[in-house]
Amino acid sequence: MSMSAWKRAGVVLTAAAVVTGLAGCQDDGDEGAKKPAAAPAPAAPRTQTLGEVTKVIQAAYTKTSEAKAAKVRMTMSLTGAGAESGTTQLTGVQGWDPAVMDITMKGTLLGAGDPTGPQQARMIMIDDVMYMDMGAEQAAEMDGKRWMKLDLKAAAEASGDKAMQKQMTGGLESMNQDPARQLALLLDSPDLKHVGAEKINGMETQHYKGTLTLEQMLKANEASKLLPEKDYEALLAGVRKSGLKGYDTEIWVNEDGYPARMDVGMTMAAGSMRMRADYSDYGTRTAVQAPPAADTFDLFTMLKELGQG
């Protein structure tokens, strides 16, 4: 690939890492969240009790888990992070159980401010493999192949690093931002509370929020549980060094019992990140399909060939 194509691949992978990296702080859910619960209470002027809040979030978790897919419109912002500061918008469809997504990204984090960079990029994830549309210019350089394939599980296995294999394959189980998992994670917050009634995107909703500490985040991280103790301690030390203090989550549940909006925020020494996701059409059956093999080149295979050369 040309230098411009490598740069394009870099900015797409960076954005993808930030989006999917959030999932590393997620869990398969609190066991209590998996039990059927009563339907969410209708909008009310009073503040709900902790017991009422828990029932609402549990019920939303059950409905969202069963829906398995939704359309999403997401805005991700990084501040104080040097050259990576900026905002990226993502729109498309995502699914969970199994984890799939087909989204289009555009914005400053993708390099839209750079005339030589991509103006937008489409990403597909299916069967633990990520595909990125590198554009017509890249296709002209690669015999018409415009889709870059990145099989993270294969890369981890080929590395020979057992710790890396455990971490990456464990993280693949919850790679894209899953609203059901966020609801389960919110139930682990020691300060879960009801904020009040609000109208979001024309819908009547109830607003809830909670915060998890660093230790609680790592406890909920299934991938980190697969690491040997010394590697887990190294991970913990690295995260602490980053200055990460906590993980803030806000959720707006609509009258149908589904999350209409989620806000997730993290603050570190180098800067902060905030992600807002608006969801609709729960249970959508929009198909997510891998690009045709004839239009795809394998990044991992290419890197191996370059290394051998």
Side-chain angles (χ1 to χ4, degrees), residues 6-287:
W6 281 113
K7 180 179 179 181
R8 190 175 304 114
V11 293
V12 172
L13 286 170
T14 298
V18 175
V19 174
T20 59
L22 280 175
C25 296
Q26 298 173 8
D27 190 11
D28 285 333
D30 184 87
E31 288 300 320
K34 299 178 182 178
K35 299 176 182 178
R46 67 178 181 83
T47 300
Q48 297 172 1
T49 66
L50 178 58
E52 290 172 322
V53 171
T54 301
K55 286 183 179 180
V56 171
I57 302 302
Q58 286 178 327
Y61 170 86
T62 299
K63 293 197 69 171
T64 304
S65 296
E66 293 174 349
K68 297 185 182 297
K71 292 182 180 179
V72 62
R73 185 177 73 253
M74 187 183 301
T75 300
M76 180 178 64
S77 300
L78 293 177
T79 57
E84 295 181 356
S85 294
T87 301
T88 291
Q89 293 80 39
L90 306 93
T91 57
V93 63
Q94 68 174 129
W96 45 95
D97 192 26
V100 297
M101 67 178 176
D102 186 343
I103 59 175
T104 298
M105 301 189 303
K106 61 180 180 180
T108 54
L109 291 179
L110 190 59
D114 181 354
T116 65
Q119 299 303 300
Q120 67 177 33
R122 184 179 172 195
M123 293 173 46
I124 293 174
M125 190 184 79
I126 186 170
D127 297 331
D128 296 339
V129 178
M130 188 79 73
Y131 300 88
M132 283 151 279
D133 185 353
M134 302 301 290
E137 181 181 343
Q138 172 59 32
E141 299 175 5
M142 300 294 292
D143 298 325
K145 300 179 179 181
R146 64 184 294 158
W147 286 92
M148 181 176 71
K149 174 183 177 181
L150 180 59
D151 188 332
L152 296 179
K153 182 178 290 187
E157 292 174 351
S159 72
D161 187 328
K162 297 298 183 182
M164 178 184 291
Q165 290 175 24
K166 290 180 179 180
Q167 187 173 16
M168 292 184 73
T169 55
L172 281 170
E173 296 176 1
S174 58
M175 195 163 190
N176 65 338
Q177 190 68 10
D178 177 341
R181 293 173 190 265
Q182 284 294 338
L183 287 162
L185 189 62
L186 187 60
L187 284 168
D188 288 332
S189 172
D191 62 351
L192 175 62
K193 64 182 180 181
H194 175 230
V195 179
E198 294 180 29
K199 183 169 285 189
I200 299 294
N201 297 328
M203 294 179 285
E204 298 295 338
T205 71
Q206 295 294 330
H207 181 187
Y208 304 91
K209 67 185 302 183
T211 300
L212 291 178
T213 64
L214 168 61
E215 288 73 20
Q216 290 163 339
M217 289 166 57
L218 290 178
K219 181 181 178 181
N221 186 345
E222 287 296 319
S224 68
K225 295 175 185 177
L226 299 173
L227 295 174
E229 184 176 354
K230 66 175 183 178
D231 293 325
Y232 176 82
E233 292 299 326
L235 171 65
L236 182 61
V239 177
R240 282 177 174 158
K241 187 176 180 180
S242 74
L244 178 62
K245 299 297 183 183
Y247 182 90
D248 301 315
T249 301
E250 297 185 58
I251 293 179
W252 288 259
V253 179
N254 65 24
E255 293 181 308
D256 291 328
Y258 293 109
R261 170 175 290 175
M262 291 187 178
D263 276 2
V264 175
M266 290 186 283
T267 300
M268 296 165 282
S272 62
M273 183 190 72
R274 181 158 295 277
M275 188 195 70
R276 166 165 291 181
D278 289 321
Y279 294 98
S280 64
D281 297 289
Y282 280 92
T284 181
R285 292 294 179 262
T286 302

